[in-house]
Coordinates of all heavy atoms in Angstrom, one line a residue:
M1 N 118.6 95.4 83.2 CA 118.5 96.5 84.2 C 117.2 96.5 84.9 O 116.2 96.2 84.3 CB 118.8 97.8 83.5 CG 119.4 98.9 84.4 SD 119.6 100.4 83.5 CE 118.0 101.2 83.8
A2 N 117.3 96.7 86.2 CA 116.0 96.7 87.0 C 115.1 97.9 86.6 O 115.6 98.9 86.2 CB 116.4 96.9 88.5
R3 N 113.9 97.6 86.5 CA 112.9 98.6 86.1 C 112.7 99.6 87.3 O 112.9 99.2 88.5 CB 111.6 98.0 85.7 CG 111.0 97.1 86.6 CD 109.8 96.4 86.0 NE 109.3 95.3 86.9 CZ 108.3 94.5 86.7 NH1 107.6 94.7 85.6 NH2 108.0 93.6 87.5
K4 N 112.4 100.8 87.0 CA 112.2 101.8 88.0 C 110.7 101.7 88.5 O 109.8 101.7 87.7 CB 112.5 103.2 87.4 CG 112.9 104.1 88.5 CD 113.6 105.4 87.9 CE 113.9 106.3 89.0 NZ 113.9 107.7 88.6
L5 N 110.6 101.6 89.8 CA 109.2 101.5 90.3 C 108.7 102.8 90.9 O 109.4 103.5 91.5 CB 109.2 100.4 91.4 CG 109.8 99.0 91.1 CD1 109.7 98.1 92.3 CD2 109.0 98.4 89.9
K6 N 107.4 103.0 90.7 CA 106.7 104.1 91.4 C 105.9 103.4 92.5 O 105.2 102.5 92.2 CB 105.8 104.8 90.4 CG 105.1 106.0 91.0 CD 104.5 106.8 89.9 CE 103.6 107.9 90.5 NZ 102.2 107.8 90.0
I7 N 106.1 103.9 93.7 CA 105.4 103.3 94.9 C 104.5 104.4 95.5 O 105.0 105.5 95.8 CB 106.5 102.8 95.9 CG1 107.5 101.9 95.2 CG2 105.8 102.1 97.0 CD1 108.7 101.7 96.0
C8 N 103.3 104.0 95.8 CA 102.4 104.9 96.5 C 101.8 104.2 97.7 O 101.5 103.0 97.6 CB 101.2 105.3 95.6 SG 101.7 106.3 94.2
V9 N 101.5 104.9 98.8 CA 100.8 104.3 99.9 C 99.5 105.1 99.9 O 99.4 106.3 100.0 CB 101.5 104.5 101.2 CG1 100.7 104.0 102.4 CG2 102.9 103.8 101.2
T10 N 98.4 104.3 99.8 CA 97.0 105.0 99.7 C 96.5 105.2 101.1 O 97.1 104.7 102.1 CB 96.0 104.1 99.0 OG1 95.7 102.9 99.8 CG2 96.6 103.6 97.6
D11 N 95.4 105.8 101.2 CA 94.8 106.1 102.5 C 94.1 104.9 103.2 O 93.5 105.0 104.2 CB 93.9 107.3 102.5 CG 92.7 107.1 101.5 OD1 92.5 106.0 101.0 OD2 92.0 108.1 101.3
E12 N 94.3 103.7 102.5 CA 93.9 102.4 103.1 C 94.9 102.0 104.2 O 94.6 101.0 104.9 CB 93.8 101.3 102.1 CG 92.8 101.6 100.9 CD 91.4 101.6 101.4 OE1 91.0 100.7 102.2 OE2 90.7 102.6 101.1
C13 N 96.0 102.6 104.3 CA 97.0 102.2 105.3 C 96.4 102.3 106.7 O 95.8 103.3 107.1 CB 98.2 103.2 105.3 SG 99.4 102.9 106.5
V14 N 96.6 101.2 107.5 CA 96.1 101.1 108.9 C 97.2 101.2 109.9 O 97.0 101.0 111.1 CB 95.3 99.8 109.1 CG1 94.0 99.9 108.3 CG2 96.1 98.6 108.8
G15 N 98.4 101.5 109.4 CA 99.5 101.8 110.3 C 100.1 100.6 111.1 O 100.6 100.9 112.2
D16 N 100.0 99.4 110.6 CA 100.6 98.3 111.4 C 102.1 98.1 111.2 O 102.7 97.3 112.0 CB 99.9 97.0 111.0 CG 100.1 96.6 109.6 OD1 100.9 97.2 108.9 OD2 99.3 95.7 109.1
G17 N 102.7 98.9 110.3 CA 104.2 98.9 110.2 C 104.8 97.6 109.5 O 106.0 97.5 109.5
L18 N 104.0 96.8 109.0 CA 104.5 95.6 108.3 C 105.4 95.9 107.2 O 106.5 95.2 107.0 CB 103.4 94.6 107.9 CG 102.6 93.9 109.0 CD1 101.5 93.1 108.4 CD2 103.6 93.0 109.8
C19 N 105.1 96.9 106.4 CA 105.9 97.2 105.2 C 107.3 97.8 105.7 O 108.3 97.5 105.0 CB 105.2 98.2 104.3 SG 104.7 99.7 105.2
V20 N 107.3 98.5 106.8 CA 108.6 99.0 107.3 C 109.5 97.8 107.8 O 110.7 97.8 107.6 CB 108.3 100.0 108.5 CG1 109.6 100.5 109.0 CG2 107.5 101.1 107.9
E21 N 108.8 96.8 108.4 CA 109.6 95.6 108.7 C 110.2 94.9 107.5 O 111.3 94.4 107.5 CB 108.7 94.6 109.5 CG 108.5 95.0 111.0 CD 107.6 94.0 111.7 OE1 107.7 92.8 111.4 OE2 106.9 94.5 112.5
E22 N 109.4 94.8 106.5 CA 109.8 94.1 105.3 C 110.8 94.8 104.4 O 111.7 94.3 103.9 CB 108.6 93.8 104.4 CG 107.6 92.7 104.9 CD 108.1 91.3 104.8 OE1 109.0 91.1 103.9 OE2 107.7 90.4 105.5
A23 N 110.6 96.1 104.3 CA 111.5 96.9 103.4 C 111.8 98.3 104.1 O 111.3 99.3 103.7 CB 110.7 97.2 102.1
P24 N 112.7 98.2 105.1 CA 112.9 99.4 105.9 C 113.7 100.5 105.2 O 113.7 101.7 105.6 CB 113.8 98.9 107.1 CG 114.3 97.6 106.6 CD 113.3 97.0 105.6
K25 N 114.3 100.2 104.0 CA 115.0 101.2 103.3 C 114.0 102.0 102.4 O 114.4 103.0 101.8 CB 116.1 100.6 102.4 CG 117.2 100.1 103.3 CD 118.2 99.3 102.4 CE 119.2 98.6 103.3 NZ 119.9 97.6 102.5
T26 N 112.8 101.4 102.2 CA 111.8 102.0 101.3 C 110.7 102.7 102.0 O 110.2 103.8 101.6 CB 111.2 100.9 100.4 OG1 112.3 100.3 99.7 CG2 110.2 101.5 99.4
F27 N 110.3 102.2 103.2 CA 109.1 102.7 103.9 C 109.5 103.2 105.3 O 110.4 102.6 105.9 CB 108.0 101.7 104.0 CG 107.5 101.1 102.7 CD1 107.9 100.0 102.2 CD2 106.5 101.9 102.0 CE1 107.5 99.5 100.9 CE2 106.1 101.4 100.7 CZ 106.6 100.2 100.2
E28 N 108.8 104.2 105.8 CA 108.9 104.6 107.2 C 107.5 105.1 107.6 O 106.7 105.3 106.8 CB 110.0 105.7 107.3 CG 109.6 107.0 106.6 CD 110.8 107.9 106.6 OE1 111.8 107.7 107.3 OE2 110.7 109.0 105.9
M29 N 107.4 105.2 108.9 CA 106.1 105.7 109.5 C 106.2 107.2 109.7 O 107.3 107.7 110.1 CB 105.8 105.0 110.8 CG 105.8 103.4 110.8 SD 104.8 102.7 109.4 CE 103.1 103.0 110.1
N30 N 105.2 107.9 109.4 CA 105.2 109.3 109.6 C 104.6 109.6 111.0 O 104.3 108.7 111.8 CB 104.4 110.1 108.5 CG 102.9 109.8 108.5 OD1 102.4 109.3 109.5 ND2 102.3 110.2 107.4
D31 N 104.5 110.9 111.3 CA 104.1 111.3 112.7 C 102.6 110.9 113.0 O 102.3 110.8 114.1 CB 104.2 112.8 112.8 CG 105.7 113.3 112.8 OD1 106.5 112.4 113.0 OD2 105.9 114.5 112.6
D32 N 101.9 110.6 111.9 CA 100.5 110.1 112.1 C 100.4 108.6 112.2 O 99.3 108.0 112.1 CB 99.6 110.7 111.0 CG 99.5 112.2 111.0 OD1 99.5 112.7 112.1 OD2 99.4 112.8 109.9
N33 N 101.6 108.0 112.2 CA 101.7 106.5 112.3 C 101.1 105.9 111.0 O 100.5 104.8 111.1 CB 101.0 105.9 113.5 CG 101.6 104.6 113.9 OD1 102.8 104.3 113.7 ND2 100.8 103.6 114.3
L34 N 101.4 106.5 109.9 CA 101.0 105.9 108.6 C 102.3 105.8 107.8 O 103.2 106.5 107.9 CB 100.0 106.9 107.9 CG 98.7 107.1 108.5 CD1 97.9 108.1 107.8 CD2 97.9 105.8 108.6
A35 N 102.3 104.8 106.9 CA 103.5 104.5 106.1 C 103.6 105.5 105.0 O 102.6 105.9 104.4 CB 103.4 103.1 105.5
V36 N 104.9 105.9 104.8 CA 105.2 106.8 103.6 C 106.4 106.2 102.9 O 107.2 105.4 103.5 CB 105.5 108.2 104.1 CG1 104.2 108.9 104.6 CG2 106.6 108.3 105.1
V37 N 106.6 106.6 101.7 CA 107.8 106.1 100.9 C 108.9 107.1 101.2 O 108.8 108.3 101.1 CB 107.4 106.1 99.4 CG1 108.6 105.6 98.6 CG2 106.2 105.1 99.2
K38 N 110.1 106.5 101.5 CA 111.3 107.3 101.8 C 111.8 107.9 100.5 O 111.7 107.3 99.4 CB 112.3 106.4 102.4 CG 112.1 106.0 103.9 CD 113.2 105.1 104.3 CE 113.5 105.2 105.8 NZ 114.6 104.3 106.2
E39 N 112.5 109.0 100.7 CA 113.2 109.6 99.5 C 114.3 108.6 99.1 O 115.0 108.0 100.0 CB 113.9 110.9 99.9 CG 112.9 112.0 100.3 CD 112.2 112.6 99.1 OE1 112.8 112.6 98.0 OE2 111.0 113.0 99.3
G40 N 114.6 108.5 97.9 CA 115.8 107.7 97.4 C 115.7 106.3 97.8 O 116.7 105.7 98.2
K41 N 114.5 105.7 97.6 CA 114.3 104.3 98.0 C 115.4 103.3 97.3 O 115.7 103.5 96.2 CB 112.9 103.8 97.6 CG 112.6 104.1 96.1 CD 111.1 103.9 95.8 CE 110.8 104.2 94.4 NZ 110.9 105.5 93.9
I42 N 115.9 102.4 98.2 CA 117.0 101.6 97.6 C 116.8 100.1 97.9 O 117.7 99.3 97.6 CB 118.4 102.0 98.1 CG1 118.4 102.1 99.7 CG2 118.8 103.3 97.5 CD1 119.8 102.2 100.2
D43 N 115.6 99.7 98.4 CA 115.4 98.2 98.5 C 115.2 97.7 97.0 O 114.8 98.4 96.1 CB 114.1 97.9 99.3 CG 114.4 98.0 100.8 OD1 115.3 97.3 101.3 OD2 113.7 98.8 101.4
D44 N 115.5 96.4 96.8 CA 115.3 95.8 95.5 C 113.9 95.5 95.3 O 113.0 95.6 96.2 CB 116.2 94.6 95.3 CG 116.0 93.5 96.2 OD1 114.8 93.4 96.7 OD2 116.9 92.7 96.4
E45 N 113.6 95.2 94.0 CA 112.2 95.1 93.6 C 111.5 93.9 94.4 O 110.3 94.1 94.9 CB 112.1 94.8 92.1 CG 110.7 94.5 91.6 CD 110.5 94.5 90.1 OE1 111.3 95.2 89.4 OE2 109.7 93.7 89.6
E46 N 112.2 92.8 94.6 CA 111.6 91.7 95.3 C 111.2 92.1 96.7 O 110.1 91.8 97.2 CB 112.6 90.5 95.3 CG 112.0 89.3 95.9 CD 113.0 88.1 96.0 OE1 114.1 88.3 95.5 OE2 112.6 87.1 96.6
T47 N 112.1 92.9 97.4 CA 111.8 93.3 98.7 C 110.6 94.2 98.8 O 109.8 94.1 99.7 CB 113.1 94.0 99.3 OG1 114.2 93.1 99.2 CG2 112.9 94.4 100.7
I48 N 110.6 95.1 97.8 CA 109.5 96.1 97.8 C 108.1 95.3 97.5 O 107.1 95.6 98.2 CB 109.7 97.1 96.7 CG1 110.9 98.0 97.1 CG2 108.5 98.0 96.4 CD1 111.4 98.9 96.1
L49 N 108.2 94.4 96.6 CA 106.9 93.6 96.4 C 106.5 92.7 97.5 O 105.4 92.6 97.8 CB 107.1 92.8 95.1 CG 107.2 93.6 93.8 CD1 107.4 92.8 92.6 CD2 105.9 94.5 93.6
N50 N 107.5 92.2 98.3 CA 107.2 91.4 99.5 C 106.5 92.3 100.5 O 105.6 91.9 101.2 CB 108.5 90.9 100.1 CG 109.0 89.7 99.4 OD1 108.3 89.0 98.6 ND2 110.2 89.3 99.6
A51 N 107.0 93.6 100.6 CA 106.3 94.5 101.5 C 104.9 94.8 101.1 O 104.0 94.8 101.9 CB 107.1 95.8 101.6
A52 N 104.7 95.0 99.8 CA 103.4 95.3 99.3 C 102.4 94.1 99.5 O 101.3 94.3 99.9 CB 103.5 95.6 97.8
E53 N 103.0 92.9 99.4 CA 102.2 91.7 99.6 C 101.8 91.5 101.1 O 100.8 91.0 101.4 CB 102.9 90.5 99.0 CG 102.8 90.4 97.5 CD 103.7 89.4 96.9 OE1 104.2 88.5 97.6 OE2 104.0 89.5 95.7
A54 N 102.7 92.0 101.9 CA 102.5 91.8 103.4 C 101.4 92.8 103.9 O 100.9 92.6 104.9 CB 103.8 92.1 104.1
C55 N 101.1 93.8 103.1 CA 100.2 94.8 103.6 C 98.8 94.2 103.6 O 98.3 93.7 102.6 CB 100.2 96.0 102.6 SG 99.0 97.3 103.1
P56 N 98.1 94.3 104.8 CA 96.8 93.6 104.9 C 95.7 94.3 104.2 O 94.7 93.7 103.9 CB 96.6 93.7 106.4 CG 97.4 94.8 106.9 CD 98.6 94.9 106.0
T57 N 95.9 95.6 103.8 CA 94.8 96.3 103.1 C 95.2 96.7 101.7 O 94.5 97.5 101.0 CB 94.5 97.6 103.9 OG1 95.7 98.4 103.9 CG2 94.0 97.3 105.3
D58 N 96.2 96.1 101.1 CA 96.7 96.4 99.8 C 96.8 97.9 99.6 O 96.4 98.5 98.5 CB 95.7 95.9 98.7 CG 96.0 94.4 98.5 OD1 97.0 93.8 99.0 OD2 95.1 93.8 97.7
A59 N 97.4 98.6 100.6 CA 97.5 100.0 100.5 C 98.7 100.5 99.7 O 98.9 101.6 99.4 CB 97.6 100.6 102.0
I60 N 99.6 99.5 99.4 CA 100.8 99.8 98.6 C 100.6 99.5 97.2 O 100.3 98.3 96.8 CB 102.0 99.1 99.2 CG1 102.3 99.5 100.7 CG2 103.3 99.3 98.3 CD1 103.3 98.6 101.4
V61 N 100.7 100.5 96.3 CA 100.5 100.3 94.9 C 101.8 100.5 94.2 O 102.4 101.6 94.4 CB 99.4 101.3 94.4 CG1 99.2 101.1 92.9 CG2 98.1 101.1 95.1
V62 N 102.2 99.5 93.4 CA 103.5 99.6 92.7 C 103.3 99.6 91.3 O 102.6 98.7 90.7 CB 104.4 98.4 93.1 CG1 105.8 98.5 92.5 CG2 104.5 98.3 94.6
T63 N 103.8 100.6 90.6 CA 103.7 100.6 89.1 C 105.1 100.8 88.5 O 106.0 101.2 89.1 CB 102.8 101.8 88.6 OG1 103.3 103.0 89.2 CG2 101.4 101.7 89.1
D64 N 105.2 100.4 87.2 CA 106.4 100.5 86.5 C 106.4 102.0 86.0 O 105.5 102.4 85.3 CB 106.4 99.6 85.3 CG 107.6 99.6 84.4 OD1 108.2 100.7 84.3 OD2 108.0 98.6 83.9
E65 N 107.4 102.7 86.4 CA 107.4 104.2 86.2 C 107.5 104.4 84.7 O 106.9 105.4 84.2 CB 108.6 104.8 86.9 CG 108.5 106.3 87.0 CD 109.5 106.8 88.0 OE1 110.6 107.1 87.7 OE2 109.1 107.0 89.2
A66 N 108.2 103.6 83.9 CA 108.4 103.8 82.5 C 107.1 103.6 81.7 O 106.7 104.4 80.8 CB 109.5 103.0 82.0
T67 N 106.4 102.5 82.0 CA 105.2 102.1 81.2 C 103.9 102.5 81.9 O 102.9 102.5 81.2 CB 105.2 100.6 81.0 OG1 105.0 99.9 82.2 CG2 106.5 100.1 80.3
G68 N 103.9 102.8 83.2 CA 102.7 103.0 83.9 C 101.9 101.8 84.2 O 100.8 101.8 84.8
E69 N 102.5 100.6 83.9 CA 101.8 99.3 84.2 C 101.8 99.1 85.7 O 102.8 99.2 86.4 CB 102.6 98.2 83.5 CG 102.1 96.8 83.8 CD 103.1 95.7 83.6 OE1 104.2 96.0 83.1 OE2 102.8 94.6 83.8
Q70 N 100.6 98.7 86.2 CA 100.4 98.4 87.6 C 101.0 97.0 87.8 O 100.5 96.0 87.2 CB 99.0 98.6 88.0 CG 98.9 98.4 89.5 CD 97.5 98.8 90.1 OE1 97.0 99.9 89.7 NE2 96.9 97.9 90.9
I71 N 101.9 96.9 88.8 CA 102.6 95.6 89.1 C 101.9 95.0 90.3 O 101.7 93.8 90.3 CB 104.1 95.8 89.3 CG1 104.7 96.4 88.1 CG2 104.7 94.5 89.7 CD1 106.1 97.0 88.3
F72 N 101.6 95.8 91.3 CA 100.9 95.3 92.5 C 100.0 96.4 93.1 O 100.4 97.5 93.1 CB 101.9 94.8 93.5 CG 101.3 94.0 94.6 CD1 101.2 92.7 94.5 CD2 100.8 94.7 95.7 CE1 100.6 91.9 95.5 CE2 100.1 93.9 96.7 CZ 100.1 92.6 96.6
P73 N 98.8 96.0 93.5 CA 98.1 94.7 93.4 C 97.9 94.4 91.9 O 97.8 95.3 91.1 CB 96.8 94.9 94.1 CG 96.9 96.1 94.9 CD 98.0 97.0 94.3
E74 N 97.9 93.1 91.6 CA 97.7 92.8 90.2 C 96.4 93.3 89.7 O 95.4 93.0 90.3 CB 97.9 91.3 90.0 CG 99.3 90.8 90.1 CD 99.5 89.3 90.0 OE1 98.6 88.7 89.4 OE2 100.5 88.8 90.5
P75 N 96.4 94.0 88.6 CA 95.2 94.6 88.1 C 94.2 93.6 87.6 O 94.6 92.5 87.3 CB 95.6 95.6 87.0 CG 97.0 95.2 86.6 CD 97.6 94.4 87.7
Ligands
SF4_1 S1 101.8 97.3 105.6 FE1 100.1 98.5 104.7 S2 98.8 99.0 106.4 FE2 100.8 98.4 107.2 S3 101.9 100.3 107.6 FE3 102.5 99.5 105.5 S4 101.0 100.5 104.1 FE4 100.2 100.7 106.1

C-alpha cells in the first residue's frame, strides 16, 4: 500500500509554478503567486516527488506521515 505523504511548501517558494506543472492535482498557486498544497491531494508519490525535485529552491518538503521520516529533500 502506498505510504501517506505529508507535503509542505516552505517560504522558500519563489512562485515559478514548476510544481504545479509537474503535479497539478497536488499543487496550485495562491493569490500571492506562491505554491500551496491542494486539499485531498491525489497525484501518486512519484509525481509528487518529481515536483519536489523540480523545485529550484527545495521549498517542497515531503515526509512520511506515519513515521515522520523526511523523504525529500533527503536529510
Ligand atoms: S516549484 Fe518550488 S518555487 Fe516553484 S512554485 Fe513550486 S514550490 Fe514554489
Side-chain angles (χ1 to χ4, degrees):
M1 205 180 90
R3 55 189 168 178
K4 207 164 174 207
L5 303 181
K6 182 169 171 237
I7 306 163
C8 296
V9 179
T10 72
D11 57 12
E12 298 296 309
C13 175
V14 293
D16 63 12
L18 288 176
C19 57
V20 177
E21 280 179 36
E22 289 283 339
K25 294 172 186 162
T26 302
F27 300 98
E28 63 187 353
M29 305 309 285
N30 69 12
D31 291 343
D32 296 323
N33 204 37
L34 296 172
V36 292
V37 179
K38 286 176 152 181
E39 297 286 329
K41 50 192 184 289
I42 53 170
D43 283 304
D44 61 25
E45 178 170 327
E46 187 183 351
T47 303
I48 291 168
L49 290 177
N50 283 344
E53 284 167 18
C55 178
T57 59
D58 280 351
I60 298 170
V61 179
V62 183
T63 54
D64 183 324
E65 197 164 86
T67 65
E69 175 201 357
Q70 186 168 312
I71 299 166
F72 193 90
E74 286 178 22

